[in-house]
Amino acid sequence: MHPDSLLKLLKQVETGEVSAQQAQERLSTLPFEDLGFARIDHHRSLRTGMPEVVFAAGKTPEQTAMILERIAASGVPALATRATPAHFAAAVEMLPGARYHAAARCIVVGEAPLECKGKVAVLCAGTSDLPVAEEAAITAETFGAEVDRITDVGVAGLHRLLAAVPRIRTADVLVVCAGMEGALTSVVAGLVDVPVIAVPTSVGYGTNFGGLTALLGMLNSCSPTVTVVNIDNGFGGGFNAARIARLAAAKQE
């Protein structure tokens, strides 16, 4: 349950719109709901401001759909990452409003808050990095951030990146997705005064070592504003970017 949802429920009890018993029933699944195969942490939104997210890989379509349904029922946006078309088929049967983002391999149920909380720019070095970048973008949007997608701005053609600098500088936080040697992160971090979250991708030839070369390059960036998440972890980049953007927006209010 999101803090805003809890506050609304308490006000409804106060005005008599909802009875104490009805409120108790809605809160009965806190702090977690046991489905037998999963224990859903409904209390997470109250503790951290962000709900639990479903990692669909390794879960059956039916398990994924059931978890999404229970998260959405608690009044928060529900997100599943690394989801296949089979996962989505099961989800949309149970939740007709579910949406599948094929490039990002994400299922989204519900809507983000109407008011955007900060701005995230998601950059990717090449078109091959787009699946990871889209996972980051969809994640950030699901949790209320405005997202600007800036694609194919790798360092092999630096003029492409420089042309996008005015857009980049309007963001509260950047997510930079790059494979090969991962150089884009350091270049971008030297152009802005906001946090940069680096996402190494497994894109590249043999000595890319499945993203390890990009990961090490980003970890060794000379820019102190760079923070690095795991290889191909677009979700981690987008999730943390949304949190940073939210904090930045709160300071501007």
Side-chain angles (χ1 to χ4, degrees):
M1 174 172 281
H2 191 272
D4 291 344
S5 299
L6 178 59
L7 183 60
K8 180 180 178 181
L9 177 61
L10 293 175
K11 287 182 177 179
Q12 288 174 327
V13 173
E14 185 179 33
T15 61
E17 184 179 348
V18 173
S19 70
Q21 183 176 354
Q22 289 173 322
Q24 188 274 332
E25 291 173 355
R26 293 190 193 181
L27 296 172
S28 63
T29 57
L30 296 180
F32 68 89
E33 181 177 3
D34 191 348
L35 299 183
F37 60 86
R39 297 186 180 189
I40 304 172
D41 185 8
H42 291 303
H43 205 265
R44 191 170 304 183
S45 290
L46 297 177
R47 297 195 314 270
T48 70
M50 306 284 264
E52 184 173 12
V53 174
V54 183
F55 183 67
K59 293 181 176 66
T60 67
E62 292 73 21
Q63 288 171 338
T64 300
M66 288 180 66
I67 297 171
L68 284 172
E69 191 276 331
R70 297 314 304 152
I71 292 175
S74 71
V76 298
L79 171 67
T81 64
R82 302 302 166 95
T84 66
H87 286 115
F88 175 63
V92 78
E93 183 175 347
M94 185 175 292
L95 298 156
R99 306 179 301 282
Y100 186 53
H101 301 272
R105 295 180 291 173
C106 290
I107 301 170
V108 179
V109 182
E111 300 294 335
L114 294 178
E115 183 181 356
C116 289
K117 296 294 185 179
K119 184 175 182 179
V120 176
V122 176
L123 290 72
C124 72
T127 305
S128 296
D129 301 306
L130 271 173
V132 177
E134 269 301 294
E135 184 180 62
I138 293 299
T139 299
E141 286 177 335
T142 299
F143 298 122
E146 176 187 354
V147 175
D148 186 11
R149 293 164 170 82
I150 303 174
T151 61
D152 200 20
V153 288
V155 299
L158 194 58
H159 52 291
R160 301 175 300 183
L161 173 64
L162 297 178
V165 167
R167 287 171 59 188
I168 292 170
R169 287 180 174 164
T170 65
D172 298 304
V173 56
L174 309 181
V175 180
V176 180
C177 306
M180 303 293 183
E181 81 289 7
L184 180 62
T185 295
S186 292
V187 175
V188 169
L191 297 172
V192 298
D193 63 351
V194 297
V196 175
I197 301 175
V199 185
T201 73
S202 53
V203 172
Y205 293 104
T207 56
N208 172 260
F209 296 114
L212 182 59
T213 296
L215 171 64
L216 294 176
M218 292 170 173
L219 287 171
N220 284 285
S221 174
C222 63
S223 174
T225 61
V226 173
T227 300
V228 187
V229 299
N230 210 343
I231 297 168
D232 290 337
N233 187 12
F235 161 73
F239 187 89
N240 286 288
R243 292 176 66 92
I244 293 170
R246 177 181 295 181
L247 292 173
K251 289 181 179 179
Q252 295 168 9
E253 292 177 352

